[in-house]
Amino acid sequence: MDVKVFSDNQEKLARYAKALGHPVRVYVLELLGKQSCCYSGDLSEELPIAKSTLSQHLKELKDAGLIQGEIEAPRVKYCINKENWEEASTLFKELMKR
């Protein structure tokens, strides 16, 4: 019999925290938070890192649900996933109140 130790909220919070665990990803979220959306090519011009490295960071943020990407060939447009961003914000606030 499997006993669930962690709540769904604890697992979600850990996933969001992991995604925020690198300064490049924090920077990307701050940048996307200031505008409606951004193309991956524009992000690579903003950051002095390889495009492949940026792609990996974007994948981490997308896998965590904090951003969403939309293909507009040949580019990808990224935006904050507002629903998950609100959820992450709420979960972090609840954690910090303790």
Side-chain angles (χ1 to χ4, degrees):
M1 179 171 80
D2 286 336
V3 176
K4 188 170 179 175
V5 176
F6 305 109
S7 72
D8 288 342
N9 283 350
Q10 288 169 326
E11 290 178 3
K12 288 176 187 178
L13 183 60
R15 185 177 74 233
Y16 294 140
K18 181 181 177 198
L20 293 168
H22 194 284
V24 167
R25 295 193 287 266
V26 172
Y27 179 86
V28 167
L29 287 170
E30 287 175 344
L31 188 67
L32 291 176
K34 293 176 187 172
Q35 52 199 53
S36 60
C37 293
C38 190
Y39 290 97
S40 56
D42 297 337
L43 289 170
S44 65
E45 292 172 10
E46 287 277 331
L47 293 160
I49 59 174
K51 287 183 181 183
S52 59
T53 303
L54 176 60
S55 266
Q56 187 58 40
H57 287 300
L58 292 169
K59 182 182 182 321
E60 290 286 332
L61 291 169
K62 191 173 179 184
D63 288 350
L66 292 173
I67 65 171
Q68 52 198 22
E70 183 179 310
I71 297 172
E72 292 183 359
R75 305 185 306 172
V76 180
K77 179 171 72 172
Y78 289 98
C79 306
I80 294 283
N81 181 320
K82 291 182 181 173
E83 182 179 328
N84 289 347
W85 184 252
E86 287 299 319
E87 178 182 59
S89 178
T90 299
L91 291 171
F92 279 110
K93 285 176 186 171
E94 288 174 5
L95 175 68
M96 297 302 173
K97 285 196 297 191
R98 297 181 180 137

